[in-house]
Amino acid sequence: MTTITKKSVAPLLIATATGTTTLLLSFSGSAQAALIDFETLPDGITTPTDNAALTTSYTVNGTTVTFGFDTNNDLTIDADALFESRNDGGNTGRAYTSFPGGVDIDRTATNEGGDWLLRAPGGLNVFSTDDFIVKYTGTPARSASGQLWDLDRGEIYSIAALDSTGTVVSSITTPPIPGGEGPDTFDALPYNFSFSDLGGDIGYIRISGVSRGGGGGFAFDNFNATQSTVNPEPVPEPLTILGSATALGFGGLLKRQHSQKQKKDK
């Protein structure tokens, strides 16, 4: 998965039969640079610890976001969000339970959930009076997107974008989703939500449980703080670009050789 750290590539030199071509591959992972995937701590290096609290903020291109839970409806974070591992071998974190097996897993074809997500601490219930909060500071943003995992068994959530005064700018209510695997179900799969080009700056994202149904738990992952696309198209790998450029170089060389041969044959 892509972290918030951008990767740059130095210029490459390609030797061909006609000389050396310089390719200025000055690109980065900018298409996914705003994605916070929780695979590292906010320093972009350290791997999280299972069940540890997230106590610091992530900053992406000047926009700072802080994650946690509001237990008294005042838009203040009163309880830390916790890191949950999908590889701990059991449902120890009360994030979600996938069936069969009773563990937190990832059923996506590309493993887009990775190894880590955020969950609520024990004893906290988003289907009662507690809300999950993303607090914004720094550079303003009017778009955002993210994922709730394992929405099934009739769970319903309200996801709202609020301005800095707490006024709701836009909101989404998830549909009741049946349990089990298959089409239109979300067992161990992500439910994507997004806000795009809102009429005001985002001060908070607030996620509240509307109806628990037969489900439970809270699992949050892959948050894009400033864009309305959770998973942008990936930037091509350096070797892919190198291969394409090399093919173009040899293609041009063969074309010139063919042209010269035609002139000699005349």
Side-chain angles (χ1 to χ4, degrees):
M1 298 178 63
T2 305
T3 65
I4 60 174
T5 304
K6 294 184 178 180
K7 297 180 180 179
S8 59
V9 177
L12 297 179
L13 300 179
I14 299 176
T16 69
T18 57
T20 301
T21 301
T22 302
L23 292 181
L24 296 177
L25 299 183
S26 180
F27 65 87
S28 69
S30 58
Q32 290 189 339
L35 186 69
I36 301 172
D37 58 19
F38 305 109
E39 297 299 292
T40 62
L41 298 183
D43 63 10
I45 301 172
T46 308
T47 301
T49 300
D50 195 20
N51 303 316
L54 172 57
T55 58
T56 52
S57 305
Y58 288 83
T59 299
V60 181
N61 299 328
T63 301
T64 298
V65 284
T66 307
F67 302 91
F69 291 87
D70 173 15
T71 61
N72 57 4
N73 303 117
D74 63 355
L75 292 178
T76 300
I77 293 176
D78 309 303
D80 294 323
L82 304 186
F83 285 101
E84 171 66 11
S85 171
R86 287 187 173 90
N87 299 315
D88 61 359
N91 185 34
T92 59
R94 297 170 294 276
Y96 62 85
T97 300
S98 176
F99 294 98
V103 295
D104 300 336
I105 62 174
D106 181 346
R107 293 191 189 278
T108 64
T110 58
N111 190 37
E112 66 181 86
D115 296 332
W116 300 93
L117 54 84
L118 292 186
R119 68 168 176 88
L124 189 147
N125 186 357
V126 296
F127 294 101
S128 57
T129 59
D130 305 321
D131 300 319
F132 179 72
I133 296 291
V134 183
K135 181 180 179 180
Y136 278 66
T137 55
T139 304
R142 295 195 172 190
S143 297
S145 52
Q147 293 179 338
L148 294 180
W149 279 70
D150 200 61
L151 267 64
D152 57 9
R153 301 173 64 83
E155 293 171 316
I156 301 174
Y157 287 89
S158 172
I159 307 168
L162 296 77
D163 65 19
S164 60
T165 69
T167 301
V168 174
V169 179
S170 183
S171 64
I172 300 165
T173 300
T174 66
I177 298 169
E181 298 178 56
D184 302 320
T185 65
F186 284 83
D187 184 50
L189 293 171
Y191 180 95
N192 292 358
F193 66 87
S194 67
F195 298 100
S196 179
D197 300 323
L198 299 178
D201 297 337
I202 300 173
Y204 307 87
I205 300 290
R206 181 181 65 199
I207 302 178
S208 311
V210 175
S211 175
R212 182 169 188 165
F218 178 83
F220 183 86
D221 204 355
N222 290 333
F223 183 69
N224 197 321
T226 61
Q227 300 173 9
S228 60
T229 304
V230 178
N231 292 311
E233 288 296 320
V235 174
E237 293 295 327
L239 289 179
T240 302
I241 297 177
L242 176 58
S244 299
T246 303
L248 289 173
F250 280 115
L253 175 61
L254 291 174
K255 184 177 180 180
R256 286 191 295 272
Q257 288 176 339
H258 179 67
S259 177
Q260 291 170 358
K261 184 177 183 300
Q262 284 182 324
K263 291 180 179 178
K264 289 179 180 180
D265 292 341
K266 287 183 178 179

